[in-house]
Amino acid sequence: MPRLLIVEDEPALRRALAINLKARRYDVDAVGDGATALRAAAAVPPDLAIVDLGLPDMDGVDVIAGLRGWTSLPIIVLSAREGQADKVDALDAGADDYVTKPFGMDELLARIRAALRRGGADIAAEPKVITDDFTLDLAAKRAFRGGEEVKLTPTEWHLAEALVRRPGVLVPGTQLLAEVWGPKYERETNYLRVYVAQLRRKLEADPSQPRHFVTEPGLGYRFEP
Amino acid sequence: MPRLLIVEDEPALRRALAINLKARRYDVDAVGDGATALRAAAAVPPDLAIVDLGLPDMDGVDVIAGLRGWTSLPIIVLSAREGQADKVDALDAGADDYVTKPFGMDELLARIRAALRRGGADIAAEPKVITDDFTLDLAAKRAFRGGEEVKLTPTEWHLAEALVRRPGVLVPGTQLLAEVWGPKYERETNYLRVYVAQLRRKLEADPSQPRHFVTEPGLGYRFEP
DNA sequence: TTCGAGCGTTAAGAACGCGTCAAGATGTCG
DNA sequence: CGACATCTTGACGCGTTCTTAACGCTCGAA
């Protein structure tokens, strides 16, 4: 499930948000001030941050800027301030969305979904990848084919995720190698051949004629949903 | 400058928006109903769409869904409706942001900047090249002609990209050779003849009378959208 | 008309990338 | 320590793609 970081100084609202979002099965991390927020985000990068503009220790805009310095995760701003100028400042500092208090939980949830969706983290929100032949539950790390569970090794999972994350898109071999084995392995095309073959053997209905893990000769591999 | 598509039925607001955004140097396309919007977007894919929910001919949510069917461009929704349910519906249909009327132009501009920033205005709508005869999806590395997918080899892709990246511009043969095969191959005009012919055979409706990959005798080649 | 230059077409061998298999190396758990 | 799973590495065959060369065509100039 996507990991959310809530930065809200008012304890009542912080708890309410945390409970509501946890009920929606999000992984929630809730902190009360900007410094703690930046530290928490650095320790375990969340998939999305919800930041209150009115914080005790620093301006919310600075928190946004601090996050934007090193990550591109979606940021939703909460604020009681009605002013246009605040909105503009926050958005230009790098926020992705701005919600004015009081707000409804439904709206916030919808905006979270929208932000995660375009952030690409939405695979986490809907962590089940389903095809005609097999199903991958990325969150639970379980794979099924024809009702039977199939066991994938860690490397196989890593490779499968790298492909499944961009459905229909061609991923160059070098990029897959860098993502799964590290940048130094970009030339070890052997690894790809071996592990793609194993994925196909375990997941495809007919491994010799793969329908979902497709080779684009000379270019890379593609996952077809 | 990024291209914006405005879908707003009220003429006064439509004009006001268009004027304001044009003053900000955006390329603006303003239409008054959903059907025209979908047609305009298909003709010239914009970098961002601003959609009013209350349209005369169809629900704004359907416009959003219609756009989402084939493109991932950022969509900002305008609405006078205060209801939570409308926001949730629009966001879940694929909208990226929701602005309630009345709104300030500064806020809208800030939200446009935020949407373009994360959409990566360049990659969002750019990598699809569409002609009467074929479609190239440069990001996904897929080519279609008449609904059927066509396979291009690595070199063919490379050459196609070099031409398609500069629509309507004449590219000298030496430049193409240098870009695809390397500076040392600038005299191997053979390669060009062979591979341009293959591109035409795979993509043009009538390869013997090419309409999109045009030869400029003595000069080079040109891609006509 | 003849000639030559530039372009389109075709075909063949060479080179490359991919799938496959299998054995050795490494790691993990009882 | 041993058993087992996983990862790494090398080698081979096969199909595709690239490279290269030759030929025919058109068009403008001599």
Side-chain angles (χ1 to χ4, degrees), chain B residues 142-165:
Chain B
R142 311 187 85 167
F144 299 89
R145 192 184 70 178
E148 294 294 310
E149 176 158 11
V150 182
K151 292 272 179 237
L152 300 187
T153 71
T155 312
E156 286 161 9
W157 271 112
H158 210 145
L159 177 61
E161 287 195 40
L163 281 167
V164 155
R165 199 176 300 146

Side-chain angles (χ1 to χ4, degrees), chain A residues 20-180:
Chain A
N20 258 294
L21 294 173
K22 277 178 185 163
R24 290 322 197 281
R25 324 242 75 200
Y26 290 109
D27 269 349
V28 178
D29 214 356
V31 303
D33 62 273
T36 312
L38 292 178
R39 222 174 313 123
V44 185
D47 299 305
L48 179 146
I50 301 172
V51 179
D52 190 340
L53 271 199
L55 294 173
D57 60 334
M58 55 197 289
D59 195 319
V61 172
D62 296 329
V63 177
I64 297 168
L67 289 171
R68 271 290 169 272
W70 58 277
T71 177
S72 64
L73 86 173
I75 301 176
I76 297 178
V77 167
L78 295 184
S79 171
R81 311 182 198 171
E82 280 287 347
Q84 291 268 332
D86 287 322
K87 291 190 186 180
V88 174
D89 286 348
L91 290 169
D92 279 342
D96 291 273
D97 205 344
Y98 192 105
V99 182
T100 307
K101 300 182 193 174
F103 54 87
M105 188 51 68
D106 283 347
E107 176 183 350
L108 181 62
L109 285 168
R111 288 193 186 267
I112 288 173
R113 283 194 295 273
L116 286 174
R117 182 189 335 126
R118 61 180 173 246
D122 61 317
I123 35 142
E126 183 51 61
K128 282 212 174 85
V129 178
I130 302 175
T131 72
D132 300 344
D133 297 332
F134 58 88
T135 302
L136 297 182
D137 187 335
L138 298 184
K141 287 270 187 298
R142 306 181 70 166
F144 301 88
R145 192 183 71 177
E148 296 293 311
E149 176 160 10
V150 182
K151 288 206 66 179
L152 298 186
T153 71
T155 311
E156 286 161 9
W157 269 111
H158 209 147
L159 177 61
E161 287 195 40
L163 280 167
V164 158
R165 194 178 308 146
R166 315 163 181 82
V169 177
L170 177 123
V171 188
T174 56
Q175 187 174 331
L176 288 171
L177 285 162
E179 201 162 314
V180 177

